[in-house]
Amino acid sequence: MSRRLRLLLWLSRRFARRQIARVPDPLPLRPMFDRLARRLFRVPPYTLVGEAALAPGLPALIVSNRPGTHPVRPRKAVLYLHGGAFVAGHPSAFVAMLARIARLTRCEVFVPDYRLAPEHPFPAAVEDARTAWDGLIARGYRPGDIVIGGDSAGGNLALGLLAALLDDRIRPAGLFAFSPVTDLTFSGATIATNAARDAVLPAARRDDLMGFYLQGARADDPRASPLLADFPDPPPVFLQYAATEILADDSRRMAAKLRAPGGEVVLDEWPDAPHVWVLFDGILPEARQALIRVAGFVNTLFDEDQAGASAPATR
């Protein structure tokens, strides 16, 4: 463990978790997170950030790198759903980390600005995730051209989107998620066993979060808790999380769920790190290492697809 990671863990446990635990209303979290992102997260040079509308009323950012230095793969994309506990977060706060993914994978990354609770409770964000997917298809991408990604609450939306697509017999190239919350009934054992170890998320706020997001909807609705959904013939999935997180069991149980029907899952467990530590790329060496692992997963998916497309037909 690097000294920077030790320091970040100490600061997170001493200040960030306490701040999140004290905030009575989710709205102040939005400017707080945006200020943190502007101060800490540095966009790599030669990054291109554009704006697009994936559908009427659903704006998005497109993150890529200058074609002269890091040419993008033709017709390959990442659809990324950002985190923020369903109540906070904005695509711009994730540009620095996603620019690194774009550089390492040579993909364009689309980040929709989906609707947030409590103004827009469940299932608004779920609907926007599907609308974003349909928008990419309307732009000419095939399902096998798209890898879905997300972190935390965005990981929940990503996995929920995957379940909905598979139910419609649509199979993306794959999916990756950083510290996803997969079970809004919070039945995983680590919700309790890691309550004192998690560096960021206070377990005591889970009921408040559900009040802001679900607003009376059932937590065991598979659209809200993808762990309870069905995943027939899932594509390859990469799940990355820390063993000390209260959500550690969300990834472990999701891996078992996806493997049951024959799915290929990479379960990338780290001994100790803050929730979604990849955001600290450029600050933590562990963040860069984690992103390299994810990019390797994405590159394998697309490299195999391109090799198959260029191979001679066989009988």
Side-chain angles (χ1 to χ4, degrees):
M1 181 184 294
S2 69
R3 291 182 179 179
R4 290 186 177 188
L5 179 53
R6 288 193 183 93
L7 177 60
L8 181 61
L9 285 167
W10 183 83
L11 291 171
S12 297
R13 290 181 172 120
R14 188 172 181 85
F15 299 107
R17 185 171 62 183
R18 292 180 182 179
Q19 180 67 22
I20 294 171
R22 286 198 303 261
V23 174
D25 184 274
L27 297 184
L29 291 175
R30 297 177 185 173
M32 182 176 71
F33 184 81
D34 291 342
R35 286 195 300 270
L36 178 68
R38 286 194 300 269
R39 292 174 182 174
L40 292 181
F41 308 148
R42 302 300 180 189
V43 178
Y46 309 113
T47 296
L48 296 178
V49 181
E51 297 181 354
L54 293 177
L58 184 60
L61 294 183
I62 307 175
V63 183
S64 63
N65 288 268
R66 291 181 183 175
T69 55
H70 295 82
V72 300
R73 297 175 186 267
R75 310 309 301 166
K76 303 296 181 185
V78 172
L79 173 60
Y80 192 86
L81 298 159
H82 70 77
F86 305 105
V87 300
H90 184 272
S92 61
F94 294 78
V95 165
M97 182 268 287
L98 295 176
R100 187 66 61 187
I101 290 178
R103 177 167 298 193
L104 292 170
T105 63
R106 296 189 294 111
C107 291
E108 288 186 311
V109 182
F110 290 79
V111 199
D113 187 13
Y114 63 84
R115 289 171 291 173
L116 300 175
E119 304 97 314
H120 305 285
F122 171 84
V126 174
E127 295 168 350
D128 286 353
R130 181 57 185 263
T131 299
W133 169 273
D134 292 341
L136 286 184
I137 298 300
R139 284 173 166 255
Y141 291 96
R142 302 171 302 153
D145 295 332
I146 305 169
V147 170
I148 304 171
D151 67 274
S152 194
N156 172 290
L157 297 173
L159 286 158
L161 173 60
L162 177 61
L165 293 172
L166 293 175
D167 187 57
D168 290 340
R169 299 185 179 181
I170 301 170
R171 196 172 188 263
L175 178 146
F176 66 89
F178 305 115
S179 304
V181 52
T182 68
D183 175 18
L184 294 188
T185 72
F186 296 110
S187 61
T190 51
I191 294 292
T193 59
N194 282 347
R197 303 173 71 200
D198 193 302
V200 176
L201 300 180
R205 295 304 303 270
R206 61 185 184 271
D207 291 337
D208 292 335
L209 172 62
M210 293 307 94
F212 296 137
Y213 178 54
L214 293 179
Q215 297 190 24
R218 292 180 62 94
D220 61 359
D221 185 325
R223 296 173 299 164
S225 295
L227 182 66
L228 306 179
D230 294 324
F231 293 87
D233 189 27
V237 170
F238 184 105
L239 302 176
Q240 187 177 83
Y241 63 99
T244 50
E245 293 190 69
I246 60 173
L247 299 177
D249 271 355
D250 282 46
S251 287
R252 294 167 182 157
R253 292 183 297 157
M254 179 56 69
K257 177 88 176 189
L258 293 165
R259 287 168 176 162
E264 175 188 342
V265 182
V266 177
L267 201 57
D268 189 28
E269 178 175 298
W270 291 59
D272 192 9
H275 185 61
V276 195
W277 69 95
V278 290
L279 287 170
F280 292 88
D281 178 60
I283 299 173
L284 294 180
E286 288 85 358
R288 181 67 54 83
Q289 294 166 16
L291 288 175
I292 288 172
R293 294 185 188 184
V294 172
F297 168 78
V298 174
N299 289 335
T300 298
L301 299 177
F302 285 149
D303 289 345
E304 288 178 353
D305 178 69
Q306 291 177 343
S310 62
T314 59
R315 294 185 183 272

